[in-house]
Amino acid sequence: MLAKLPVGDAVEASIDFLTDNFRFIFRGVSSVFEIFLNGLEGLLLLIPAFIFIIAISALAFKLAGKPVAIFTLAGLFLVYNLELWEPAMSTLAMVLSATFVSIIFGVPLGILSAKKEKFRRIIMPILDFMQTMPAFVYLIPAISFFGMGKVPGLFATVIFAIPPSIRLTSLGIQQVPEDLVEAADAFGSTSMQKLTKVQIPLAMKTIMAGINQTIMLSLSMVVISAMIGAGGLGREVWMGIQRLWIGTAFEGGLAVVILAMVLDKLTQSVSK
Amino acid sequence: MVKIRFEDVVKIFGNNPKTALEMLKQGKNKDEILEKTKHVIGVNKASFEVNEGEIFVVMGLSGSGKSTLIRCINRLIDVTSGSIFIDGEDITKMNKEELTALRRKKMGMVFQKFALLPNRTIQENVQYGLEIQGVDIETQIKKAREALDLVGLKGWYDSYPHELSGGMQQRVGLARALAVEPDILLMDEAFSALDPLIRKEMQDELLDLQNKMNKTIIFITHDLDEALKIGDRIALMKDGEIVQIGTPEDILNNPNNDYVARFVEDVDVSKVLTAEDIMIKPVTIDYKKDGCRVGLRKMEKEGVSNLFVIDRSRKLIGYVVADDLSELVKKGESNIEPAIQKEIPTVSPDTKLTNIFHLIAESRVPVAVVDEDNTLKGIIIRGSVISGLVRGGGEDVS
């Protein structure tokens, strides 16, 4: 009989090693993001709910037309009416932050993987791994690095939601027609000019589709990250599940769906 | 003056071209090298010169290496060995900055599929080359519009590429290349994607523009008719090798191997051959010196029924026919002057054969080929047109 390979032990040891030796870094990162998340949430709550709802509906009207605007207006008003506005804004802050971090890291990584084939061959399986590993598994290292609260939730959400940003950025850049890239080169563009004037503008649609996917995946992590104290609408759902309060869980879930649909429609119309 | 010089340029595609290069030096051919090393020979020891102000056409079938060759000139593809000199400078040794400067200042490129940015207007597309050089926006706009006006797209500045026809899109491509005011234009199958009629129009226009601009143009094509029409000189490529370089007439009249010969077999020679190529030596008579009897004897000897009348410096005066001369002889006249007919069709030596057909058809007498001083160079009879078409060239008249 072959002995059981110590895969789990190895992972545990390396996570422990990271936590023990780089605690100060994690703590530092943690407090920066804590401040950022709380600041964003406070900012969103500072705007009166009615003004916020009308502003978003107006934006939806401009970007996506009347039906979407009406849905946005009714949906967000329902969230307010269910007294879920505060957790909804907390979740929105989390989603926006996770998306922001995903773009900051995801788009450059995507560009790099489009340009360097070796890098692409390394990163693509890692992305597959990140997306197929059950999301709960990320919660544990997130807690050991950052403790309980919003920041580990953000960490786990970014790990789970960043792959489409990287993948579709890479795809978009690779799909820019060869002769356009060649033309840019032939006229003496620097790599940066080629990227900013030709490749990114032409890949924009695909990149935006990736960002849209990232937003959707972030929202799907809301409930899971609530299990480690990330708060927001996830906490409502999680509380409902734990105490078998079907109504509370359903209301929280409905608010997540509404938020998802509004964000989806808005970002989709931007990418068109 | 030599503008571009290729010296033994070799391009081998593959990860480890050294072995392949070695085999190439040993005289192995493309297929052997491909089989042994899996390396593809793109360009095989190309050496040639392109003169300033010349339209140099590189022609060959797909896979012959012509697109690789043109990309070596601006180093979109780096050569494996050999050197390319532009204005005496070896560009294969340039570093990144020098190369960028070279691409920005010295050359413009036109692509087969236009390669216009779909998200930019026509004018913004043409501005591109100037924009990346950091030229101020007023100058960019001014130069872009000048270039667009030059190619006949005045007023289309704010349209988008997809709103234009293929021919117009390629005009934009041409304008984009011209806007940076390069010495060298690289045209990669620039007209190949266009409809035949539009294509002819663009060829004519390129020749027109070239008359004004006098750029050095490298033009890639797989169409021999196109090559013959616009090329000052043509390089024929096969399997990465240049098999013949010459003027269109050289290539047609003296194909230096079977490959070229087979290539030129299908050409509509009437578009390429000129009066000079098919004219034959005329039987002439000097009207100051020779009389009627001399004329009649000449006709008898040469087996013709008419003579071209010239003066002492071979200037064309007219022609005489046998019947008129014998009339004069009967009357006892010796001077041929009364018999000279001055109504005679003439063409210049560089008139294309296509433009001579109707003259031949309408005229009872041969067509005279004269230069700008009215000096008689030769004549064209129906028979010489047909034999010219058959042989693809004319006989020596001198």
Side-chain angles (χ1 to χ4, degrees):
Chain A
M1 258 305 264
L2 197 65
K4 183 188 174 228
L5 293 169
V7 175
D9 293 342
V11 172
E12 208 172 311
S14 50
I15 297 289
D16 282 347
F17 174 81
L18 285 174
T19 326
D20 291 345
N21 292 284
F22 297 99
R23 186 180 298 267
F24 62 102
I25 295 180
F26 290 128
R27 293 293 171 228
V29 171
S30 179
S31 45
V32 170
F33 276 107
E34 185 104 44
I35 294 167
F36 181 74
L37 276 167
N38 285 332
L40 186 60
E41 194 182 321
L43 198 71
L44 289 173
L45 284 171
L46 203 66
I47 308 165
F50 281 106
I51 293 180
F52 193 91
I53 292 171
I54 289 167
I56 295 292
S57 303
L59 187 67
F61 181 71
K62 196 161 169 275
L63 292 175
K66 209 168 169 185
V68 178
I70 291 171
F71 174 81
T72 305
L73 192 69
L76 291 182
F77 187 76
L78 182 64
V79 173
Y80 177 78
N81 179 264
L82 294 174
E83 295 177 353
L84 289 172
W85 189 254
E86 227 171 282
M89 286 305 108
S90 170
T91 292
L92 185 62
M94 175 70 96
V95 168
L96 291 179
S97 306
T99 306
F100 178 73
V101 174
S102 295
I103 293 172
I104 293 292
F105 288 102
V107 172
L109 284 173
I111 291 169
L112 196 63
S113 90
K115 297 204 157 188
K116 305 268 180 240
E117 210 205 318
K118 270 188 190 151
F119 181 74
R120 182 161 70 244
R121 270 190 295 196
I122 294 167
I123 200 167
M124 285 306 161
I126 297 178
L127 294 182
D128 291 337
F129 183 90
M130 282 160 72
Q131 278 189 297
T132 42
M133 177 67 87
F136 292 96
V137 179
Y138 300 131
L139 296 181
I140 302 157
I143 293 172
S144 11
F145 292 159
F146 302 110
M148 295 285 279
K150 285 179 178 149
V151 177
L154 179 67
F155 175 81
T157 304
V158 168
I159 298 287
F160 186 68
I162 201 172
S165 285
I166 300 176
R167 249 188 242 282
L168 285 163
T169 300
S170 178
L171 182 71
I173 300 279
Q174 288 177 71
Q175 278 177 341
V176 173
E178 186 59 37
D179 57 341
L180 286 177
V181 178
E182 210 172 38
D185 279 331
F187 284 95
S189 313
T190 60
S191 299
M192 202 38 134
Q193 287 171 330
K194 192 165 65 176
L195 195 62
T196 55
K197 290 177 191 292
V198 177
Q199 290 171 312
I200 291 182
L202 292 175
M204 207 53 191
K205 263 188 195 175
T206 316
I207 296 176
M208 283 308 294
I211 291 171
N212 172 278
Q213 286 298 301
T214 290
I215 293 175
M216 295 299 110
L217 287 180
S218 310
L219 267 166
S220 72
M221 275 295 280
V222 161
V223 177
I224 293 170
S225 54
M227 289 160 68
I228 52 171
L233 291 171
R235 191 176 58 192
E236 304 294 317
V237 179
W238 183 233
M239 217 158 64
I241 292 170
Q242 280 180 318
R243 299 177 194 176
L244 290 179
W245 294 348
I246 295 171
T248 312
F250 184 80
E251 285 174 3
L254 186 65
V256 172
V257 170
I258 290 169
L259 216 53
M261 289 175 79
V262 170
L263 284 172
D264 184 39
K265 292 287 172 216
L266 284 180
T267 49
Q268 260 185 32
S269 57
V270 169
S271 67
K272 263 171 204 158
Chain B
M1 213 187 94
V2 174
K3 188 77 184 172
I4 304 170
R5 190 167 90 242
F6 271 58
E7 263 180 22
D8 259 341
V9 171
V10 174
K11 173 65 197 178
I12 296 167
F13 292 103
N15 299 325
N16 185 20
K18 267 197 187 139
T19 339
L21 190 61
E22 210 45 54
M23 288 178 73
L24 198 63
K25 279 185 184 151
Q26 288 161 11
K28 298 272 194 297
N29 72 26
K30 189 177 175 165
D31 295 332
E32 285 175 293
I33 293 172
L34 179 64
E35 198 178 312
K36 285 241 172 67
T37 65
K38 302 275 175 268
H39 280 57
V40 176
I41 310 295
V43 176
N44 184 357
K45 286 175 278 184
S47 295
F48 60 88
E49 288 176 347
V50 180
N51 298 316
E52 194 163 356
E54 177 176 48
I55 301 185
F56 188 83
V57 175
V58 180
M59 111 122 238
L61 299 174
S62 60
S64 61
K66 55 194 192 305
S67 289
T68 307
L69 187 85
I70 200 175
R71 280 167 176 71
C72 291
I73 300 172
N74 58 2
R75 279 185 52 188
L76 287 176
I77 291 175
D78 277 317
V79 302
T80 307
S81 80
S83 300
I84 300 169
F85 296 90
I86 294 180
D87 292 327
E89 251 187 295
D90 187 351
I91 61 144
T92 59
K93 300 212 164 44
M94 283 184 169
N95 62 28
K96 216 174 163 186
E97 285 72 35
E98 290 169 322
L99 180 63
T100 302
L102 176 85
R103 286 172 173 175
R104 287 181 175 181
K105 302 289 182 195
K106 277 223 171 121
M107 39 185 91
M109 191 162 182
V110 185
F111 297 84
Q112 180 173 9
K113 290 180 196 143
F114 322 138
L116 302 176
L117 295 168
N119 56 332
R120 286 173 165 232
T121 63
I122 300 310
Q123 182 187 308
E124 285 164 355
N125 262 289
V126 178
Q127 278 169 238
Y128 186 85
L130 300 159
E131 183 183 319
I132 58 171
Q133 292 181 25
V135 174
D136 67 275
I137 187 77
E138 284 83 16
T139 316
Q140 277 183 36
I141 293 174
K142 188 172 147 274
K143 287 194 170 174
R145 293 195 168 184
E146 278 171 9
L148 281 167
D149 295 350
L150 192 64
V151 298
L153 285 178
K154 202 183 182 76
W156 288 86
Y157 312 135
D158 296 325
S159 307
Y160 282 87
H162 68 90
E163 298 169 326
L164 270 59
S165 68
M168 286 161 92
Q169 288 192 35
Q170 195 55 302
R171 282 166 202 261
V172 180
L174 189 56
R176 177 173 63 179
L178 292 174
V180 295
E181 292 165 5
D183 303 347
I184 300 169
L185 265 186
L186 304 175
M187 305 187 70
D188 181 23
E189 300 250 11
F191 302 150
S192 299
L194 305 175
D195 293 336
L197 282 177
I198 308 288
R199 194 165 173 182
K200 285 223 172 61
E201 205 179 294
M202 292 293 285
Q203 290 164 353
D204 291 336
E205 230 163 289
L206 180 70
L207 291 173
D208 264 4
L209 279 173
Q210 173 65 352
N211 276 335
K212 292 179 218 157
M213 308 180 302
N214 213 32
K215 307 269 184 208
T216 305
I217 301 177
I218 313 285
F219 193 103
I220 303 288
T221 183
H222 62 257
D223 175 1
L224 189 58
D225 283 331
E226 182 166 77
L228 295 168
K229 177 167 177 185
I230 65 173
D232 291 322
R233 282 192 305 145
I234 299 168
L236 263 148
M237 281 188 87
K238 187 199 175 213
D239 291 343
E241 239 171 306
I242 293 180
V243 289
Q244 184 168 7
I245 297 183
T247 61
E249 277 79 8
D250 285 345
I251 301 254
L252 277 183
N253 294 336
N254 309 304
N256 69 0
N257 65 27
D258 282 354
Y259 176 72
V260 182
R262 232 174 309 128
F263 226 120
V264 298
E265 229 165 41
D266 305 330
V267 181
D268 185 353
V269 279
S270 65
K271 285 182 196 149
V272 186
L273 292 181
T274 57
E276 204 169 26
D277 292 319
I278 57 157
M279 66 192 182
I280 58 170
K281 195 176 180 176
V283 184
T284 56
I285 180 169
D286 183 338
Y287 78 109
K288 285 270 165 64
K289 195 176 79 187
D290 302 326
C292 295
R293 283 177 191 281
V294 177
L296 281 169
R297 200 172 313 135
K298 263 195 177 178
M299 288 184 199
E300 200 180 341
K301 202 174 140 211
E302 302 284 343
V304 294
S305 60
N306 46 40
L307 291 176
F308 281 78
V309 183
I310 53 173
D311 65 11
R312 210 151 279 180
S313 53
R314 287 191 71 83
K315 295 238 188 307
L316 178 69
I317 306 296
Y319 73 99
V320 288
V321 296
D323 292 352
D324 294 348
L325 286 192
S326 21
E327 283 293 308
L328 286 177
V329 171
K330 274 177 202 157
K331 285 183 197 161
E333 291 258 3
S334 77
N335 197 327
I336 63 166
E337 262 193 274
I340 297 176
Q341 303 192 30
K342 295 193 172 166
E343 293 288 314
I344 177 168
T346 60
V347 294
S348 65
D350 56 6
T351 308
K352 292 263 190 303
L353 191 47
T354 25
N355 301 326
I356 300 174
F357 284 142
H358 70 277
L359 282 177
I360 302 273
E362 285 160 12
S363 168
R364 285 185 305 105
V365 292
V367 175
V369 182
V370 295
D371 67 8
E372 54 267 46
D373 302 325
N374 206 34
T375 308
L376 183 64
K377 294 288 184 185
I379 59 165
I380 300 171
I381 58 172
R382 288 181 199 204
S384 62
V385 174
I386 291 161
S387 64
L389 284 174
V390 171
R391 282 180 295 108
E395 68 188 40
D396 206 350
V397 291
S398 51

